[in-house]
Amino acid sequence: KAGVTQTPRYLIKTRGQQVTLSCSPISGHRSVSWYQQTPGQGLQFLFEYFSETQRNKGNFPGRFSGRQFSNSRSEMNVSTLELGDSALYLCASTLGAGEVPRAYEQYFGPGTRLTVT
Amino acid sequence: GNSVTQMEGPVTLSEEAFLTINCTYTATGYPSLFWYVQYPGEGLQLLLKATKADDKGSNKGFEATYRKETTSFHLEKGSVQVSDSAVYFCALTLYNQGGKLIFGQGTELSVKP
């Protein structure tokens, strides 16, 4: 079974630009969650999408947004990039529903390393 | 609020030493608890999990027991190997927020031959 894939793996952007990251979940998984990982703040939850609807949201500004498609693939977008947005962005997929905790065992992709200059 | 606290690293051990990484949590409700491991340049891998008090999660020689009375989920391994060198994250999720993991700050483990 193929794992979670994220594209691109590396990205360099300039302040003020916007960026879109993509995540393809494990086949059969309907939930995709996004996390930001930085040395200073650690791993922080951005949002979760389930069946094309945002189900949970973290404490990030509105510049961070996401969406999910009918095939469960998800994208996240960051507009008006700031230097502080430089981070490893991880997505994770889960079944999203059913018996706990199996339904919420999150399987992570390798991440997208975003550098903002 | 809900949070996870881990012992600070880095932790440096010799091969075959005993490992303990402490993890305590604060949660409103009854969380499920997880340990994830991150090897250099990679994403996170689920190491083990537990869903209720006194549950013991185990995998690859690692163990952790869900202690409700002490709100703890300490990770242990009897004999570490060089290949165990990685960053270990303790995490929780609540039933009504299953897609949201709350992580500890991570503990870097370095095992020397």
Side-chain angles (χ1 to χ4, degrees), chain A residues 10 23 39 43 52 60 62 65 80-81 92-93 97 103-104 107 113 117:
Chain A
Y10 302 92
C23 173
L43 279 155
E52 302 179 64
F60 278 79
S65 63
T80 320
L81 284 165
S93 75
Y104 298 115
Y107 294 86
R113 172 75 61 186
T117 63

Side-chain angles (χ1 to χ4, degrees), chain A residues 33 35 37 100-101 105-106, chain B residues 36 38 44 49 51 95 99 101:
Chain A
S33 297
Y35 297 85
Q37 185 176 25
V100 174
E105 291 176 11
Q106 297 199 14
Chain B
Y36 281 85
Q38 186 176 34
L44 277 70
K49 64 185 183 291
T51 57
Y95 177 73
L101 278 169

